[in-house]
Amino acid sequence: MIEVIDLKKSFAGTEVLKGVNLNVRKGETVVVIGRSGCGKSVLLKHLIGLMKPDSGKILIDGVDVTTLKSEEMYEFRKRFGMLFQGAALFDSLTVWENVGLALLEHTDLSEEEIRKKVCQKLEQVGLDRLDDMKPSDLSGGMKKRVGLARAIAMDPPVILYDEPTTGLDPIMADVINELIRRLQKQLEITSVAVTHDMKSAYKIGDRLAMLYGGKIVFEGTPEEVMASQDEVVRQFVEGRAEGPIPVYQE
Amino acid sequence: MNAVEYVGRTVGFSLAEVGAVFLLLGSAVKTIPKAIRQKKLVAEQMLRIGIGSLPLVLVTSIFTGGVAAVQAAYQFQDYVPMRYLGTVIGKSVVIELGPVLTALVVGGRVGASIAAELGTMKVTEQIDALETLAIDPIRYLVAPRLLAGLVMLPIITIFADFIAIIGGFVVALIGLDVSTHVYFTGLKLFLHPSDVLSGLVKAFFFGVIIAMMGCYHGLRTQGGAEGVGIATTKAVVSSCLLILITDYILASLLFSTVFSG
Ligand SMILES: Nc1ncnc2c1ncn2[C@@H]1O[C@H](COP(=O)(O)OP(=O)(O)OP(=O)(O)O)[C@@H](O)[C@H]1O
Ligand SMILES: [Mg+2]
């Protein structure tokens, strides 16, 4: 369903993505793991057209999204939900307006129906009764969950998660993992998640892909990752300072 | 470095940017039919630009009118009779001082706040988030501000003209011994509707400039808090400069067409 082909991207002369290849099938969750700063968020932003690659293609259901015109791009994005690493809530809007904005803009639902739906989404992420608060009144973890509620508000068939569990306490992290799992199982949602939380990666991922040095260096099921003898993968998964991955990059 | 380039650089504006601003303006204008239906967003911006600016414009205008009176009286000396005081104040306020000073004051206030708001949204990925929700930031953010700017500036200018003429009147009455009757007869003597209209045409363009400079610099903000600061400064400096330049161009055009015909 999602096919990333030889994706390259540089910023001011530094090549961050050096030819990424990745396949995501319909209804599966692929977790991209990798060190901080290796380009995981950049990869995710390419999938939804927020960034344009220097070269390479991204095919979604066979359509190359890197060449879409802007109206086509907006149409195509209605099928996507994205959770930002920093939540990126609209700070001039209340929590319920944040979650309900897409419904307000793209559907003919009445305000009452939207409120109901927003409530339901907020409950799913373990939040209620903060509808009329502003994002600035929320804790980091709460913001993250409001961001998640916003991403799933339109019930999109594809969801991109940028570090869904960072900043959450272990119990809430598990609730979110369960939610992601449930969305995928019940609604056959296709998702790409980015994380360096291995516990979450094992739990939500059908397959894991490791981004290292601007390329996907390993792909496999959680079992395959655990059994892998690849030194780079082992070092990351076990979280060791010693190994082939240099601690200080470049 | 030639002179034009130097001025451009100090103002923070290159020729390529002029193109980019017109592109943004073009796309914003294209979304106006849709934007008009977002009544809540447009109304919010109108309140912010219009009502929010009134106190500042009120004070500015009173003093502008007062200064115009003192200045005119000094220049009249004994050569021009005081019954023309109202005429001179009326004309200069309505054609020039009202629209330009209002635009400069509102530009400082509103241009900065638009740039800071959109700039913060940019660096905290809120603009990206709008995009992922399939909401065009130009329709959702730029068009309502543009609409509010081009509607509200002429309205505030009418208010400013009125207050400045009153300000001039107060000074004339108290400080210059010009009676109410004399002042207002003088005012009506040569003040044509086309004078008022030309001031409002200017205000319309100034409204576009203020909104566009705020949005343009806000949306291209880079980096963090520092970037927002830079964008804010650029928005204010460039809108003030463009207001003065546009004023000159419009004045030349209007004088050669409206007033001669
Ligand atoms: N808009 C941008 N302009 C310039 N450089 C950028 C931009 N976005 C990302 N980068 C660079 O690209 C690299 C990868 O950034 P990215 O945010 O994708 O990292 P990440 O893998 O998501 O890290 P983390 O796990 O810490 O979120 C970084 O070195 C960053 O400096
Ligand atoms: Mg990241």
Side-chain angles (χ1 to χ4, degrees):
Chain A
M1 155 146 211
I2 303 177
E3 256 179 287
V4 181
I5 303 162
D6 205 28
L7 190 70
K8 292 185 184 163
K9 178 74 176 178
S10 312
F11 291 107
T14 346
E15 200 167 30
V16 175
L17 302 181
K18 301 178 183 172
V20 171
N21 289 287
L22 185 67
N23 267 323
V24 184
R25 290 186 282 272
K26 191 167 164 24
E28 91 174 329
T29 300
V30 169
V31 176
V32 178
I33 55 175
R35 289 196 56 194
S36 182
C38 72
K40 305 185 295 296
S41 297
V42 169
L43 174 60
L44 223 49
K45 284 180 186 168
H46 277 90
L47 295 183
I48 197 166
L50 290 176
M51 287 182 175
K52 292 262 175 245
D54 298 337
S55 70
K57 277 189 202 161
I58 297 166
L59 304 181
I60 304 218
D61 288 337
V63 181
D64 186 356
V65 301
T66 58
T67 58
L68 287 183
K69 287 202 278 302
S70 87
E71 296 95 69
E72 296 168 327
M73 184 63 100
Y74 286 120
E75 237 3 86
F76 147 88
R77 280 188 187 135
K78 288 186 185 163
R79 296 164 46 207
F80 278 71
M82 175 157 179
L83 167 65
F84 282 79
Q85 188 168 0
L89 300 180
F90 306 118
D91 46 26
S92 60
L93 302 182
T94 60
V95 166
W96 97 264
E97 288 171 328
N98 261 282
V99 179
L101 184 61
L103 293 165
L104 204 66
E105 289 280 322
H106 300 311
T107 68
D108 296 325
L109 298 178
S110 69
E111 180 170 330
E112 200 180 328
E113 287 166 312
I114 293 177
R115 280 226 181 230
K116 213 151 126 202
K117 194 145 188 200
V118 168
C119 250
Q120 177 201 337
K121 297 293 171 194
L122 284 173
E123 264 166 34
Q124 282 190 333
V125 297
L127 297 170
D128 56 0
R129 277 195 293 271
L130 35 82
D131 288 29
D132 291 319
M133 289 171 88
K134 284 285 177 79
S136 54
D137 304 331
L138 304 180
S139 77
M142 288 161 111
K143 282 184 197 157
K144 199 75 183 236
R145 286 183 282 153
V146 174
L148 183 54
R150 184 177 69 185
I152 62 177
M154 292 277 284
D155 300 314
V158 186
I159 307 183
L160 310 177
Y161 305 93
D162 199 341
E163 312 208 354
T165 55
T166 38
L168 303 184
D169 66 74
I171 298 170
M172 199 34 85
D174 202 51
V175 170
I176 298 301
N177 286 337
E178 290 285 347
L179 171 66
I180 294 176
R181 208 67 205 144
R182 204 167 58 237
L183 287 172
Q184 186 215 347
K185 285 275 169 303
Q186 290 173 356
L187 305 172
E188 294 200 0
I189 286 174
T190 310
S191 21
V192 179
V194 153
T195 190
H196 32 219
D197 171 2
M198 287 312 299
K199 201 171 156 206
S200 159
Y202 287 141
K203 182 142 191 185
I204 63 177
D206 295 310
R207 282 188 303 128
L208 272 54
M210 173 146 180
L211 185 61
Y212 174 68
K215 293 189 171 177
I216 300 290
V217 292
F218 186 91
E219 251 185 278
T221 61
E223 293 73 30
E224 284 167 348
V225 172
M226 283 184 241
S228 167
Q229 291 309 311
D230 186 311
E231 265 310 303
V232 171
V233 175
R234 290 239 61 75
Q235 186 193 348
F236 184 84
V237 169
E238 289 167 11
R240 281 186 277 111
E242 300 84 34
I245 305 176
V247 176
Y248 303 103
Q249 291 152 309
E250 269 103 281
Chain B
M1 198 173 1
N2 64 36
V4 176
E5 216 179 294
Y6 178 75
V7 172
R9 202 160 299 172
T10 26
V11 178
F13 230 68
S14 69
L15 224 53
E17 284 192 281
V18 175
V21 169
F22 275 103
L23 273 181
L24 180 64
L25 178 62
S27 349
V29 168
K30 246 187 267 164
T31 65
I32 279 186
K34 278 190 203 156
I36 288 180
R37 269 177 272 141
Q38 328 174 86
K39 293 196 187 67
K40 191 168 159 252
L41 291 177
V42 178
E44 227 170 71
Q45 294 306 321
M46 284 186 167
L47 281 182
R48 178 172 158 192
I49 295 182
I51 310 298
S53 298
L54 285 188
L56 197 62
V57 171
L58 178 83
V59 176
T60 320
S61 306
I62 286 184
F63 284 98
T64 304
V67 169
V70 174
Q71 182 81 23
Y74 170 73
Q75 283 173 356
F76 281 7
Q77 303 248 355
D78 293 328
Y79 308 115
V80 183
M82 274 302 183
R83 63 192 161 95
Y84 294 119
L85 188 69
T87 319
V88 167
I89 293 175
K91 282 238 181 212
S92 51
V93 161
V94 163
I95 296 175
E96 179 67 26
L97 295 176
V100 173
L101 288 175
T102 304
L104 290 176
V105 170
V106 174
R109 190 182 156 274
V110 173
S113 98
I114 292 178
E117 184 187 13
L118 298 198
T120 307
M121 289 185 77
K122 175 78 190 301
V123 300
T124 54
E125 294 186 319
Q126 292 177 52
I127 305 277
D128 282 348
L130 272 181
E131 296 257 5
T132 65
L133 297 178
I135 297 171
D136 180 2
I138 297 185
R139 168 180 65 80
Y140 189 78
L141 298 171
V142 179
R145 285 162 176 77
L146 177 64
L147 270 174
L150 58 84
V151 171
M152 290 318 279
L153 252 279
I155 293 180
I156 312 174
T157 300
I158 293 175
F159 170 78
D161 288 351
F162 186 72
I163 299 294
I165 288 172
I166 300 294
F169 167 64
V170 171
V171 170
L173 193 68
I174 297 171
L176 303 169
D177 265 346
V178 178
S179 76
T180 312
H181 177 73
V182 170
Y183 183 81
F184 284 104
T185 315
L187 182 67
K188 277 184 281 184
L189 201 53
F190 292 112
L191 193 61
H192 306 297
S194 65
D195 295 340
V196 180
L197 189 69
S198 74
L200 298 185
V201 168
K202 283 181 178 177
F204 170 88
F205 282 98
F206 296 159
V208 173
I209 290 173
I210 293 168
M212 288 318 289
M213 285 301 103
C215 290
Y216 174 74
H217 288 290
L219 286 180
R220 349 173 337 156
T221 305
Q222 302 230 312
E226 191 191 5
V228 175
I230 294 173
T232 310
T233 311
K234 277 188 177 171
V236 174
V237 172
S238 57
S239 63
C240 288
L241 219 95
L242 282 178
I243 285 167
L244 294 173
I245 295 172
T246 309
D247 182 42
Y248 171 75
I249 297 172
L250 285 177
S252 324
L253 282 176
L254 289 169
F255 279 126
S256 67
T257 54
V258 180
F259 297 107
S260 63

